[in-house]
Amino acid sequence: MSVGTSSAPGEERTARPPAPRPGDVADLGIDPDQLPDGLVVADEHGRVICFNAAAQRITAVPAEQALGRTLETALPLEDLEGRRWWQLTDPYGGLAIRVGQPERNLLLHGGREVLVSARYVRTRPTGPVRRVVVTLRDTEARRRTERSHAELIATVAHELRSPLTSVKGFTATLLAKWERFTDDQKRLMLETVDADADRVTRLIAELLDISRIDSGRLEVRRQPVDIGAAVSRHIQAHVAAGRPADRFLLRVQHPLPALWADPDKIDQVLSNLLENAVRHGEGTVTIDITPSASPRDREHAEPAATSVTVSDEGPGIPEESMNRVFTRFWRGSKRGGTGLGLYIVKGIVEAHGGTITVGRAPGGGAEFRFTLPVAAPAYLT
């Protein structure tokens, strides 16, 4: 596959060598077939001189059929209105100041969508085009993202409709017929409105967390955290809500290394894992807190991380579902909730530089284990 020329070995240069031109990827020691995107390069006559493996995969055209042919013949493209793209853009005869074409959706022969961008390479400004470099990307990844966003919107709309309908109904009823209800009836309706408002607030918080996780903007404000005390608070909250105290078993292995983490976000992780164990599991919910090696560096014997394991004695998670537990909208066998909690938990743990895994507990139920590095913030070291 011809992609450019190189100087002969030992050739002396009296001036600074020019930078490799797009299309001369071989000069950089890169095989075009190793590129993740499709690469098509045409010479100054519009003949294809490079057609890499990804381009073959995306277009279903063998390289031997494309090399040496004109761009329009080797890579027939149409816009979404059915117009021939190469005739519209005219890279060799169009405006001399044009440097390329931005990425857009185009259609291959047979109607398959592909993302295409082009770069016009000239030896001097406004000079003739010496190379046309075209990149091709499959649209499947974008479609998966769009489907995920559409599913998120549908889930949120569904989850918001119920509490908002309740809030609207009770407030309208109270405003219209306040004098007709007893104090106990009013209290019951207001408590329902309050609970539904909390539900909406939690959903909005989840959406904000997902947005920050997906964009890499989830902030972690590290402070000293007593992880044992944090777990104890969550257990006490469950007991206060009416669950039996003997449903929980907390085991802490001392001494634990000092843990620096975001206390609010760690509370969010613990709340989600314990709630899942109580709601979907059976028997005793066991929480083990132990020192461990760093999740990123296990070569050092000295404990540099803290691990928290939450397990139950229920039916557990089917083996075939374990690789989907931390994805969006996974709810297991029982319906209810948005299915976003474990996705957010994974994002929070990883934002701390930690890891989280799921498996089968010794008692047969589900076992979640997350490990957090314990190093202090950089400004204290």
Side-chain angles (χ1 to χ4, degrees), residues 323-334:
N323 62 339
R324 297 187 288 110
V325 166
F326 297 109
T327 59
R328 291 181 182 180
F329 311 119
W330 185 84
R331 298 184 179 89
S333 59
K334 297 180 181 179

Side-chain angles (χ1 to χ4, degrees), residues 18 48 71 137 150 163-164 168 176 196 199 212-213 221 228 242 250 254 258-259 269 291 294 314-316 356 365 378:
V48 174
L71 265 176
R137 292 198 300 131
L164 289 179
K168 177 63 178 175
D196 285 333
R199 182 177 166 190
R212 295 184 184 111
I213 290 169
R221 305 181 186 277
L250 172 60
H254 293 289
L259 174 62
V269 171
S294 170
I356 184 167

Side-chain angles (χ1 to χ4, degrees), residues 109-162:
H109 182 71
R112 182 181 175 187
E113 281 192 32
V114 64
L115 295 169
V116 181
S117 59
R119 179 77 177 179
Y120 305 156
V121 182
R122 309 173 192 269
T123 54
R124 66 180 189 278
T126 72
V129 173
R130 308 299 297 177
R131 293 282 191 273
V132 174
V133 183
V134 182
T135 60
L136 308 173
R137 292 198 300 131
D138 201 324
T139 60
E140 184 57 32
R142 177 177 288 186
R143 287 178 177 175
R144 285 197 299 268
T145 300
E146 291 173 349
R147 285 196 297 269
S148 178
H149 288 165
E151 188 174 359
L152 178 61
I153 291 171
T155 299
V156 171
H158 174 76
E159 292 294 327
L160 284 174
R161 183 182 298 116
S162 177

Side-chain angles (χ1 to χ4, degrees), residues 173-183 185-186 189:
T173 301
L174 286 171
L175 288 172
K177 303 176 182 179
W178 179 266
E179 301 297 337
R180 299 185 185 181
F181 296 108
T182 65
D183 289 345
Q185 290 173 324
K186 293 174 184 177
M189 286 189 279

Side-chain angles (χ1 to χ4, degrees), residues 54-272:
Q56 298 179 66
R57 173 180 54 80
I58 292 171
T59 63
V61 175
E64 56 269 20
Q65 292 185 17
L67 293 172
R69 303 176 72 184
T70 64
L71 265 176
E72 187 172 358
T73 305
L75 191 63
L77 294 168
E78 296 181 350
D79 65 13
L80 300 182
E81 297 178 2
R83 298 173 296 182
R84 295 183 178 179
W85 193 61
W86 295 114
Q87 293 183 4
L88 285 175
T89 57
D90 192 12
Y92 294 94
L95 291 174
I97 59 173
R98 184 167 291 159
V99 296
Q101 296 292 332
E103 187 175 70
R104 65 190 67 193
N105 273 12
L106 296 175
L107 300 177
L108 292 168
H109 182 71
R112 182 181 175 187
E113 281 192 32
V114 64
L115 295 169
V116 181
S117 59
R119 179 77 177 179
Y120 305 156
V121 182
R122 309 173 192 269
T123 54
R124 66 180 189 278
T126 72
V129 173
R130 308 299 297 177
R131 293 282 191 273
V132 174
V133 183
V134 182
T135 60
L136 308 173
R137 292 198 300 131
D138 201 324
T139 60
E140 184 57 32
R142 177 177 288 186
R143 287 178 177 175
R144 285 197 299 268
T145 300
E146 291 173 349
R147 285 196 297 269
S148 178
H149 288 165
E151 188 174 359
L152 178 61
I153 291 171
T155 299
V156 171
H158 174 76
E159 292 294 327
L160 284 174
R161 183 182 298 116
S162 177
L164 289 179
T165 300
S166 171
V167 169
K168 177 63 178 175
F170 279 123
T171 53
T173 301
L174 286 171
L175 288 172
K177 303 176 182 179
W178 179 266
E179 301 297 337
R180 299 185 185 181
F181 296 108
T182 65
D183 289 345
D184 288 341
Q185 290 173 324
K186 293 174 184 177
R187 175 177 293 277
L188 176 62
M189 286 189 279
L190 289 174
E191 286 175 347
T192 304
V193 168
D194 184 63
D196 285 333
D198 286 341
R199 182 177 166 190
V200 172
T201 301
R202 285 194 301 271
L203 180 58
I204 292 172
E206 286 183 345
L207 293 176
L208 290 173
D209 285 336
I210 287 176
S211 174
R212 295 184 184 111
I213 290 169
D214 289 347
S215 63
R217 294 185 293 106
L218 187 65
E219 293 185 2
V220 175
R221 305 181 186 277
R222 296 183 186 271
Q223 302 174 30
V225 173
D226 185 337
I227 191 70
V231 173
S232 295
R233 287 196 303 272
H234 284 277
I235 292 175
Q236 291 167 8
H238 280 283
V239 173
R243 295 187 173 97
D246 59 3
R247 180 83 192 273
F248 303 93
L249 173 61
L250 172 60
R251 299 186 297 205
V252 182
Q253 181 180 332
H254 293 289
L256 292 173
L259 174 62
W260 286 74
D262 188 316
D264 292 337
K265 290 182 172 54
I266 297 305
D267 273 343
Q268 195 173 349
V269 171
L270 294 173
S271 174
N272 194 291

